[in-house]
Amino acid sequence: MVKIKTIELNLKGKRVKFADITNMVKDAIKESKIKDGICVVISPHTTCSVYFEEYSHDKFEDGTEYLQYDLNSSLKKIVPDHDDSERYNYPGKAHYEAVESWPNASEYLPNGDKTALWNGDAHIKSTIIGSSETFAVENNELSIGKTGYIYFVDFDKTRSRIRKCKIVIIGD
Amino acid sequence: MVKIKTIELNLKGKRVKFADITNMVKDAIKESKIKDGICVVISPHTTCSVYFEEYSHDKFEDGTEYLQYDLNSSLKKIVPDHDDSERYNYPGKAHYEAVESWPNASEYLPNGDKTALWNGDAHIKSTIIGSSETFAVENNELSIGKTGYIYFVDFDKTRSRIRKCKIVIIGD
Amino acid sequence: MVKIKTIELNLKGKRVKFADITNMVKDAIKESKIKDGICVVISPHTTCSVYFEEYSHDKFEDGTEYLQYDLNSSLKKIVPDHDDSERYNYPGKAHYEAVESWPNASEYLPNGDKTALWNGDAHIKSTIIGSSETFAVENNELSIGKTGYIYFVDFDKTRSRIRKCKIVIIGD
């Protein structure tokens, strides 16, 4: 049996944005009525990732949890912020031209602002963390420890975005 | 068809602990009698990971294989040992208070020792490596090359632990 | 229902080699006739990875796309090229001896050249990126955004290689 649910996340701010989606995944499993199998949580976006981590009770003023901040600090040591056109090769001349030719170009280049494509950092971070994570489902429940949570992260700092996340449950 | 097997790993020492679980995964596939499909190997702990790597025949005195040591050396460059309270934001004041309120607090804070929660390094490393890995199953066998092995790693250096690992096999 | 397809990739050059396998994965899904489920793309090699990323239109002379180059530049900061025997512990004395005893030793050590095993960098990079990635399948199509592509990467710079990649589709 297969059940697929797509959730939408409204992620706001010009910063790395994290969303705790644990309860949404648990709800999808419950609705699926699948007893035993796997639950795959997937980002269809190339600047976002899904990962499994502890919930840390301390937060910064913008809502970022301490472990989320520490993760990003570690990654930044090899993937610095894309705040300068020389930081990464991406996006090159041909990429700008390709995006300008898209029918929805203004979504990616608002007011023709080329810095809106300076998200090379987000592309590389999401490749390192990965676009999906797979969990066990047992007795129609998400089979993780009590301290585990599922996070969706949008590493793209250029703007607020509404992001999709796919939850696929397969089993008996 | 779905078969789920939970194995327990007795991981000893105040260091990053690796376990070669290849034969346990192969046994679970054999027992499942599933001919073709996938085998997902999952850590339900937020300081552990599962990954696929070569077995390197040379070992250090504590049993750590050369490639395991080299992996950890690389990760430490951006995720240094959590041997100082200033190294990471985690765990903050609210996190200590939350853990102290848990019924099994003494398991996480033996003798009230706050340094027992200094495993921010383990949390970040396991997010980078990932909590699960998926393999192909063909003809009721793990479909990997001859030099490939499956490793479970507990990045938490604070103490010895008994860890769980879920092996989920799905297919026909 | 389960469908498994093995593709072969002819990857040439003494450098990190990337292959865009998006269309091959889409073809495998179409042929499978599976409507809804997952598609797992798997490297059975311990120096290769599968990941999800944008196609960047600019390329270097050797065909490497800008984002591929930027990914490798970031990883190299903690996993430098294995161009010196002192760079990594791997491969040690016992590993050389083990490989020399294999029936196909000449494949791994052409002309007894020990530097042919200097691929510790590739082993560690592929552990960080991961050996598989899982995607959703909806309406018999790969369920990714328009800008997403699936890449197979061989991090081993020592020589040209023909590599296998497993595509497993499970669903209804």
Side-chain angles (χ1 to χ4, degrees), chain B residues 36-38 51-58 60 66-67 69-70 74 77-78 128 133-138 143 145 147-148 171-172, chain C residues 1-2 4 38 40 42-46 78-80 88-90 92-95 98 102 123-124 127-128 130-132 166 168 170:
Chain B
D36 294 306
I38 55 171
Y51 69 96
F52 180 57
E53 183 55 285
E54 191 178 65
Y55 167 71
S56 54
H57 298 74
D58 301 87
F60 289 91
Y66 276 16
L67 267 179
Y69 188 96
D70 290 335
S74 295
K77 292 177 194 169
I78 53 171
I128 292 173
E133 196 51 88
T134 304
F135 303 91
V137 173
E138 293 180 284
S143 186
T147 60
D172 294 334
Chain C
M1 197 154 62
V2 178
I4 302 178
I38 55 171
V40 193
I42 303 165
S43 155
H45 307 286
T46 55
I78 52 170
V79 191
Y88 298 98
N89 289 286
Y90 172 89
K93 197 170 172 288
H95 198 70
W102 293 351
H123 282 289
I124 295 166
T127 295
I128 292 172
S131 61
S132 73
K166 302 267 169 195
V168 185
I170 300 191

Side-chain angles (χ1 to χ4, degrees), chain A residues 51-68:
Chain A
Y51 69 95
F52 180 58
E53 183 54 286
E54 192 179 65
Y55 167 72
S56 56
H57 298 74
D58 302 86
K59 293 174 191 182
F60 288 90
E61 281 188 13
D62 65 5
T64 305
E65 297 169 17
Y66 276 16
L67 267 180
Q68 295 170 346

Side-chain angles (χ1 to χ4, degrees), chain A residues 61-162:
Chain A
E61 281 188 13
D62 65 5
T64 305
E65 297 169 17
Y66 276 16
L67 267 180
Q68 295 170 346
Y69 188 96
D70 289 336
L71 169 65
N72 206 39
S73 297
S74 296
L75 292 175
K76 274 170 75 167
K77 291 178 194 170
I78 53 169
V79 191
D81 287 350
H82 197 163
D83 51 13
D84 186 304
S85 69
E86 303 295 302
R87 190 77 74 192
Y88 298 98
N89 290 285
Y90 172 88
K93 198 169 171 284
H95 198 70
Y96 280 120
E97 287 170 5
V99 174
E100 283 162 356
S101 76
W102 293 352
N104 58 345
S106 65
E107 188 189 322
Y108 292 91
L109 290 165
N111 307 313
D113 175 14
K114 286 198 171 183
T115 68
L117 291 188
W118 289 5
N119 62 0
D121 50 353
H123 282 289
I124 295 166
K125 285 180 194 168
S126 65
T127 295
I128 292 173
I129 303 303
S131 61
S132 74
E133 197 50 270
T134 303
F135 303 92
V137 173
E138 292 181 285
N139 296 313
N140 191 232
E141 286 190 352
L142 183 64
S143 186
I144 56 175
K146 272 170 215 164
T147 60
Y149 289 76
I150 303 173
Y151 291 96
F152 182 99
V153 51
D154 182 350
F155 286 114
D156 192 339
K157 301 168 72 164
T158 63
R159 63 194 188 283
S160 297
R161 298 284 275 272
I162 293 173

Side-chain angles (χ1 to χ4, degrees), chain C residues 51-66:
Chain C
Y51 69 95
F52 180 56
E53 183 54 286
E54 191 178 66
Y55 167 72
S56 55
H57 298 75
D58 302 86
K59 292 173 191 181
F60 288 90
E61 280 188 16
D62 65 5
T64 304
E65 297 170 17
Y66 275 17

Side-chain angles (χ1 to χ4, degrees), chain B residues 26 28-37 137-143 169:
Chain B
K26 287 181 176 176
I29 290 171
K30 207 166 180 184
E31 291 163 18
S32 79
K33 295 194 173 25
I34 288 170
K35 208 172 154 266
D36 294 306
V137 173
E138 293 180 284
N139 296 315
N140 190 233
E141 286 191 352
L142 183 64
S143 186
I169 303 143

